[in-house]
Amino acid sequence: MRDSLPYVLILYYSRHGATRSMAEQLAAGVESCPGIEARLRTVPPVSPTCEAVDPEIPAEGAVYVELDDVRHCAGLALGSPTRFGNMAAPLKYFIDSTSALWLNGVLVDKPATAFTSTSSLHGGQETTLVSMLLPLLHHGMIYAGLPYSETDLMTTTVGGTPYGASHVAGQRSDQPLADVERRLLRAQGKRLARLALALANQREVS
């Protein structure tokens, strides 16, 4: 049974907790808009040698995503730490399993965005965001970054890009979110929620 309210799916992978903290801030931005909810979901780690068997419910944080979470979302946000300028393997592993959704076009004309965390200031944030953008475009989604009407983009000395929110976590991945990073994440979530509601209404009219 589908929820009565539309929802934005915030799907992330987090190794040390930074991307999870970002997802929670983006969710707060989504839920600042009346009439829509945020649904937080994560993906399990993958093994380089064999299929790992993890518990069905993680010990902490969001539960693991299912295809139906993606199928019925009104909007989608992908979050990942940077791995050599690319999204982390566990998130890509899940995205590669969404071919059935692509074949049925269920995500066409729905809004999407992305966010990322790196250890260093120039650690590949923008290329990682672009790597997450590509499969969203193949699904026919409408990508929504952060416009420069968010004036924090002009003054930030930490995270923040027009391709999506970002965070500099530090060499030990223990640097908390800066105020400017939190503001940009909430703005990104709010924008995605507004677009999800508007586009959902448009699809119903058409």
Side-chain angles (χ1 to χ4, degrees), residues 6-203:
Y7 64 88
V8 167
L9 175 63
I10 302 172
L11 176 59
Y12 68 92
Y13 174 71
S14 188
R15 180 84 179 270
H16 300 291
T19 314
R20 174 183 167 185
S21 295
M22 296 180 76
E24 291 166 349
Q25 290 296 317
L26 198 142
V30 169
E31 296 197 334
S32 70
C33 290
I36 194 164
E37 296 177 338
R39 179 176 295 186
L40 289 163
R41 292 291 185 268
T42 190
V43 292
V46 295
S47 167
T49 56
C50 63
E51 288 287 334
V53 179
D54 286 297
E56 292 185 4
I57 300 176
E60 60 180 3
V63 300
Y64 293 134
V65 68
E66 297 180 355
L67 281 179
D68 274 351
D69 292 318
V70 183
R71 186 189 314 276
H72 298 303
C73 73
L76 174 63
L78 294 180
S80 173
T82 291
R83 294 291 183 266
F84 299 104
N86 206 331
M87 76 177 92
L91 185 63
K92 188 175 189 303
Y93 185 85
F94 175 78
I95 292 172
D96 286 347
S97 75
T98 62
S99 295
L101 304 183
W102 172 77
L103 286 169
N104 292 316
V106 299
L107 296 178
V108 171
D109 289 342
K110 294 181 179 182
T113 198
F115 56 99
T116 191
S117 173
T118 57
S119 296
S120 61
L121 182 60
H122 301 290
Q125 291 183 349
E126 293 181 347
T127 56
T128 300
L129 292 166
V130 170
S131 78
M132 289 188 278
L133 180 157
L134 296 176
L136 300 174
L137 294 179
H138 276 262
H139 272 288
M141 304 193 81
I142 299 170
Y143 192 80
L146 273 169
Y148 276 92
S149 54
E150 299 300 331
T151 55
D152 281 324
L153 285 180
M154 299 295 294
T155 58
T156 180
T157 58
V158 281
T161 84
Y163 308 101
S166 58
H167 168 55
V168 181
Q171 292 184 8
R172 298 178 182 273
S173 298
D174 59 357
Q175 186 70 30
L177 293 173
D179 289 343
V180 64
E181 294 171 337
R182 284 195 294 270
R183 288 196 300 270
L184 288 170
L185 282 159
R186 289 180 178 236
Q188 187 172 6
K190 186 174 182 179
R191 184 181 192 214
L192 186 61
R194 289 201 316 264
L195 289 170
L197 287 169
L199 290 169
N201 292 335
Q202 182 62 37
R203 286 194 300 273

